[in-house]
């Protein structure tokens, strides 16, 4: 039962990462990396940063799904 709880937590963590990807992408890509650059480059950095964070969230969800299948 404890492993089910950890898997559920991993799944919820993935969902939270995906939900927070846009604000984190804005902070990291636009404010930190894109500061002092042109708007086009800052926008590109913002888009690539938040898409990368979304991929991490999707990876966490997929890992939790594989763990659910392996435990059952």
């Amino acid at each position: 039962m404890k492993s089910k709880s950890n898997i559920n937590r991993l799944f919820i963590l993935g969902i939270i990462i995906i939900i927070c990807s846009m604000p984190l992408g804005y902070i990291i890509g636009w404010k930190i990396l894109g500061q002092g650059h042109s708007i086009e480059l800052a926008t590109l950095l913002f888009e690539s940063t938040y898409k990368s964070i979304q991929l991490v969230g999707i990876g966490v969800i997929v890992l939790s799904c594989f763990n659910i299948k392996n435990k059952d």
Side-chain angles (χ1 to χ4, degrees):
M1 188 67 177
K2 184 172 171 95
S3 64
K4 280 273 192 196
S5 175
N6 288 339
I7 292 170
N8 290 338
R9 288 182 187 159
L10 195 61
F11 185 80
I12 292 170
L13 177 67
I15 297 294
I16 291 171
I17 289 172
I18 290 175
I19 291 170
C20 294
S21 65
M22 188 68 82
L24 283 173
Y26 173 74
I27 292 169
I28 295 170
W30 188 270
K31 292 288 185 181
I32 296 173
L33 298 176
Q35 191 173 20
H37 294 290
S38 67
I39 292 175
E40 293 85 10
L41 181 60
T43 304
L44 181 67
L45 288 168
F46 161 65
E47 288 177 354
S48 61
T49 303
Y50 92 82
K51 287 178 184 177
S52 299
I53 295 170
Q54 280 182 340
L55 285 175
V56 169
I58 291 169
V60 169
I61 291 172
V62 168
L63 275 174
S64 72
C65 290
F66 279 133
N67 283 336
I68 289 171
K69 288 181 183 177
N70 288 338
K71 298 292 179 183
D72 292 340

